[in-house]
C-alpha cells in the first residue's frame, strides 16, 4: 500500500501506519481520502489483526485539519462529500475506523489538535508521552469540533470535562489526557514504542474469534449510545454549516490559515489569542 500522506509497514499481523504530511502533519483532503482507502481495504483483510497509528514527524501527531482544505471542501464541487446530510466526511471517516474489526492503537508523542484529536478519539486504545500536547482549538475561531469530536468526547469523558476541554481551547499535556480518560495512560518517550509494539504483537497473537467476541460484547454494551452518537453528529454538522457561514468567522479562519507553519503551530492557542487581540484593535 503506497500513500502520499501515510507511511505503512507490516510486521506479521500488525500494520503500522505513520502520519507523514510534512511539515505539520496537517489532516488534508488527500489524507482523508487515503484513510478511507486504507480502512476500506482492512474491512476485507483477515491477515491484519492490529493497526498501530504513529507519526513520522517528531513534533506533530496531527496538527489539525488544514484550514485551506476546509475552505476548498466548502467551495469546490469536485471535492467528495458525504452521502448523508446529517453526517459530514470526517464523521464518516472516524466512524468507519471505529467500526473496523481490527484493534486500533494510537501512539502520541507530540502535538495533536482539532481533527487529529477527533480521529484519535475513534481509535480503540491510546497511549501518549507526558509531554504530548492535546487541544480542541475550534471554539476560539468561532465554531466547534465537528468531526465527531464533541460527541465522542462527551460520551467518553462526560459533559463537565468536555465543556472544560472544548470551551477552554487550551493545550493540555499527556498526563492530564490520561487523568481525563482521553488516553489509556502515559509512558515515557523511551518506553512507549516498545510497550505499544509488545501490546500490538500480543493482541495480534490472540485467536481472531476471541478478539471478535470481545468486540461484539463491547458493541452490545454500548448499543444504546449509537443513537445518541449519531444524534450528536447531526447537531455538530448543523452547527458547523451555520457557524462557518458567518462572514466574520470565515474571515478570521482565512487569516489563521495563513499562519499554518511550524513556528505558529507549536503554540496554537497562543497564536490564536494574539491574532484575536490584533483583530480587536
Amino acid at each position: 500500500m503506497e500513500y502520499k500522506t501515510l507511511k505503512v509497514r507490516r510486521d506479521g499481523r500488525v500494520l503500522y501506519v505513520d502520519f507523514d504530511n510534512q511539515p505539520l502533519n496537517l489532516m488534508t483532503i488527500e489524507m482523508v481520502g487515503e484513510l478511507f482507502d486504507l480502512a476500506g481495504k482492512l474491512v476485507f483483510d483477515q491477515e491484519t489483526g492490529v493497526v498501530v497509528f504513529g507519526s513520522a514527524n517528531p513534533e506533530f501527531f496531527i496538527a489539525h485539519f488544514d484550514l485551506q482544505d476546509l475552505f476548498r471542501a466548502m467551495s469546490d464541487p469536485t471535492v467528495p462529500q458525504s452521502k448523508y446530510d446529517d453526517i459530514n466526511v470526517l464523521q464518516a471517516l472516524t466512524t468507519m475506523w471505529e467500526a473496523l474489526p481490527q484493534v486500533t492503537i494510537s501512539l502520541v508523542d507530540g502535538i495533536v489538535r482539532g481533527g487529529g484529536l477527533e480521529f484519535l478519539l475513534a481509535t480503540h486504545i491510546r497511549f501518549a508521552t507526558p509531554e504530548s500536547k492535546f487541544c480542541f482549538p475550534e471554539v476560539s475561531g468561532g465554531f466547534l469540533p465537528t468531526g465527531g469530536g464533541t460527541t465522542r468526547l462527551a460520551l467518553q469523558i462526560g459533559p463537565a470535562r468536555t465543556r472544560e476541554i472544548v470551551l477552554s481551547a487550551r493545550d493540555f499535556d499527556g498526563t492530564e489526557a490520561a487523568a481525563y480518560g482521553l488516553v489509556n495512560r502515559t509512558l515515557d518517550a523511551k518506553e512507549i514504542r516498545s510497550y505499544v509494539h509488545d501490546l500490538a504483537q500480543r493482541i495480534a497473537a490472540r485467536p481472531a474469534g476471541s478478539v471478535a467476541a470481545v468486540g461484539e460484547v463491547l458493541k452490545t454494551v454500548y448499543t444504546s449510545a449509537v443513537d445518541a452518537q449519531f444524534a450528536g453528529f447531526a447537531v455538530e454538522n448543523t452547527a458547523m454549516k451555520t457557524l462557518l457561514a458567518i462572514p466574520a468567522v470565515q474571515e478570521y479562519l482565512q487569516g489563521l490559515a495563513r499562519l499554518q507553519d511550524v513556528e505558529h503551530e507549536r503554540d496554537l492557542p497562543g497564536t490564536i489569542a494574539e491574532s484575536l487581540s490584533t483583530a480587536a484593535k
Side-chain angles (χ1 to χ4, degrees):
M1 289 175 274
E2 293 291 333
Y3 297 112
K4 293 182 179 179
T5 68
L6 309 172
K7 282 186 175 180
V8 181
R9 65 180 178 86
R10 177 178 295 280
D11 185 354
R13 299 192 69 242
V14 180
L15 199 68
Y16 290 88
V17 181
D18 286 341
F19 297 109
D20 187 22
N21 189 26
Q22 306 297 338
L24 294 168
N25 271 357
L26 288 171
M27 179 177 279
T28 58
I29 292 170
E30 183 173 39
M31 180 184 286
V32 168
E34 291 183 353
L35 286 167
F36 266 121
D37 183 79
L38 179 56
K41 290 180 169 65
L42 287 169
V43 169
F44 304 101
D45 182 354
Q46 297 183 1
E47 299 302 315
T48 302
V50 180
V51 180
V52 176
F53 284 102
S55 173
N57 187 310
E59 287 194 78
F60 296 91
F61 182 80
I62 297 179
H64 52 75
F65 196 89
D66 187 344
L67 293 175
Q68 299 284 7
D69 272 14
L70 174 63
F71 287 109
R72 182 182 157 211
M74 293 168 57
S75 60
D76 187 346
T78 66
V79 175
Q81 302 293 325
S82 172
K83 295 181 180 179
Y84 308 99
D85 290 338
D86 288 345
I87 302 174
N88 62 52
V89 170
L90 190 52
Q91 290 170 339
L93 175 69
T94 53
T95 300
M96 187 174 186
W97 274 96
E98 188 176 45
L100 283 177
Q102 290 83 6
V103 175
T104 54
I105 303 174
S106 288
L107 186 165
V108 180
D109 183 15
I111 296 170
V112 55
R113 300 185 180 110
L117 183 48
E118 293 185 289
F119 186 85
L120 181 74
L121 291 173
T123 58
H124 301 142
I125 303 172
R126 308 157 215 148
F127 300 97
T129 56
E131 300 80 13
S132 294
K133 291 181 181 180
F134 301 76
C135 178
F136 275 128
E138 288 86 349
V139 171
S140 294
F143 61 117
L144 76 163
T146 58
T150 306
T151 299
R152 283 197 178 89
L153 200 63
L155 290 172
Q156 293 179 19
I157 70 173
R161 286 173 169 171
T162 297
R163 281 190 174 92
E164 178 190 355
I165 287 171
V166 173
L167 297 179
S168 69
R170 65 179 177 86
D171 277 345
F172 54 96
D173 63 24
T175 301
E176 191 171 353
Y180 276 16
L182 270 74
V183 298
N184 290 48
R185 60 185 172 121
T186 58
L187 293 160
D188 186 89
K190 296 179 181 179
E191 303 172 4
I192 190 168
R193 284 166 180 76
S194 61
Y195 180 86
V196 169
H197 174 77
D198 180 69
L199 176 64
Q201 294 294 338
R202 286 174 180 269
I203 295 173
R206 304 294 177 249
S210 297
V211 175
V214 171
E216 284 302 312
V217 170
L218 296 177
K219 286 180 184 178
T220 302
V221 169
Y222 286 96
T223 294
S224 61
V226 172
D227 288 343
Q229 178 166 300
F230 281 97
F233 285 177
V235 176
E236 283 184 9
N237 201 34
T238 299
M240 177 185 70
K241 293 175 182 177
T242 300
L243 295 171
L244 290 180
I246 298 172
V249 173
Q250 290 190 23
E251 183 180 353
Y252 173 72
L253 292 177
Q254 286 169 349
L256 198 60
R258 293 191 286 271
L259 302 178
Q260 291 183 149
D261 56 57
V262 172
E263 180 181 354
H264 288 99
E265 294 282 354
R266 285 186 176 126
D267 180 17
L268 183 58
T271 295
I272 292 173
E274 184 176 350
S275 64
L276 287 172
S277 176
T278 300
K281 293 178 180 179

